[in-house]
Amino acid sequence: ALLNQILVMSGASMKGNRFFFYCCCRDDEMNESHQLSLMLSSIADFGIKTNKILLTSMSEDTVNKMVSAMLSLLPRLTRPLASIIHEKTKGSPLFIKQLMVELNKQRMLHPSLTRRRWVWKSDKIRDMEVPENVDMFINKSFNQLSSEVLSALSVLSCFGSSADVHLVQRLETEIRQSLVEQLDTAVAANVLGKRNGKFYFLHDKLQEAAYSMTKPEERCLHHKRYGLA
């Protein structure tokens, strides 16, 4: 909608000038009536050229490079593990990271003091049942968190992908709800990250899941409440 407004307002003044817009989306979540689809179909009326870059899932070789880097092991050592992970995740980067965290929790992937490197149990990983997609995996991760942590995540999600720790601390005092401690628990559970004085969701899917826990009819009230605080 914003891009369309810019194009309409610019009109003839755009001649001889250049704009560069870069955006990304999940095409499996869009249809012909989606706002972005409508915008892309009408943008040609302004004589603007567009280029679409299709990003597919990661190949098994790329997954192996990712696993090799995460475990600080040579690619030839991680290839058997990467092959299993690729088969179970279909090459989804978020799925891969979440799966490896889960493997570590279940001690199927862990550091060995005697061997001084990461080791894993290939047979158990291969037999492990995993959710069919990332959404189901996220729901499973959220189900393992306490109601207090989920409530804090819901609050954080109202600020988008991230929020300053100082802001969260101030909000905690104003709304009289434990936030920082609960969000630190979410960091330990690999749902959030914490860096440079900010709490941030590790993926937009995680933020969407946290935001969806609030009823649509109540979201405006929460935004107003947090804004006034």
Side-chain angles (χ1 to χ4, degrees), residues 38-80:
L38 295 175
M39 185 273 289
L40 291 174
S41 64
S42 64
I43 201 171
D45 296 338
F46 295 92
I48 297 175
K49 297 180 180 180
T50 60
N51 291 317
K52 295 182 180 180
I53 303 174
L54 180 62
L55 300 178
T56 58
S57 299
M58 296 168 62
S59 66
E60 183 174 324
D61 185 58
T62 303
V63 172
N64 187 38
K65 291 178 181 178
M66 178 179 178
V67 174
S68 171
M70 292 177 71
L71 302 183
S72 298
L73 291 172
L74 294 173
R76 62 179 177 82
L77 297 177
T78 57
R79 189 168 299 281

Side-chain angles (χ1 to χ4, degrees), residues 20-34:
F20 178 75
F21 293 95
Y22 177 82
C23 60
C24 60
C25 63
R26 298 187 183 89
D27 55 2
D28 60 338
E29 297 180 1
M30 294 171 51
N31 53 38
E32 294 181 356
S33 61
H34 191 278

Side-chain angles (χ1 to χ4, degrees), residues 88-139:
K88 290 186 174 295
T89 63
K90 304 299 186 293
S92 167
L94 174 62
F95 208 163
I96 292 169
K97 185 172 183 178
Q98 294 295 319
L99 177 59
M100 292 187 71
V101 169
E102 186 65 22
L103 293 177
N104 179 242
K105 287 181 180 179
Q106 298 189 26
R107 300 291 294 173
M108 296 184 193
L109 172 66
H110 59 90
S112 170
L113 295 179
T114 55
R115 300 183 64 180
R116 298 183 180 181
R117 48 161 282 190
W118 286 85
V119 296
W120 52 87
K121 301 173 182 177
S122 297
D123 292 339
K124 287 190 175 182
I125 297 174
R126 188 176 288 106
D127 295 337
M128 177 185 180
E129 292 187 6
V130 298
E132 295 180 359
N133 53 53
V134 177
D135 292 337
M136 293 176 65
F137 205 103
I138 290 174
N139 289 335

